[in-house]
Amino acid sequence: RSTSARCATARSTTTGASLDDCTQDGGRRSPLLPCAFAAELESKSFTNGKEDYPLVKGLYEAAFKEQFGKATVLDYAGLGWGDAE
């Protein structure tokens, strides 16, 4: 897995992400809410054009709800995020 993929799990011990992985080279962005992801998605282009937009948007929203819905602890300490994140 890439560093960003490992960090996306919020330092999960099952993926082996460490604080160093998540803060190197300026760190990583905080997880986007589905509405913010959808807004950023509008500026992207897809091979299949607009047909892929609803699919990607729906997949992200479903994954976000599943992962954050079952999380019992979110530990983002030491990532350098502020109130906006």
Side-chain angles (χ1 to χ4, degrees):
R1 290 184 131 182
S2 70
T3 298
S4 61
R6 289 190 314 247
C7 293
T9 61
R11 295 182 352 182
S12 167
T13 57
T14 59
T15 62
S18 71
L19 184 58
D20 290 338
D21 288 335
C22 297
T23 57
Q24 70 183 8
D25 301 324
R28 66 175 296 273
R29 293 174 54 183
S30 59
L32 293 174
L33 292 173
C35 59
F37 180 83
E40 283 200 19
L41 199 59
E42 289 182 16
S43 68
K44 308 296 181 195
S45 60
F46 293 94
T47 303
N48 290 333
K50 299 243 182 227
E51 293 174 22
D52 284 341
Y53 172 82
L55 173 66
V56 173
K57 178 184 170 194
L59 288 170
Y60 182 85
E61 185 172 358
F64 182 92
K65 288 178 179 179
E66 178 184 346
Q67 294 302 311
F68 279 90
K70 68 182 179 183
T72 57
V73 174
L74 298 175
D75 180 10
Y76 298 122
L79 294 177
W81 295 345
D83 290 342
E85 292 81 22

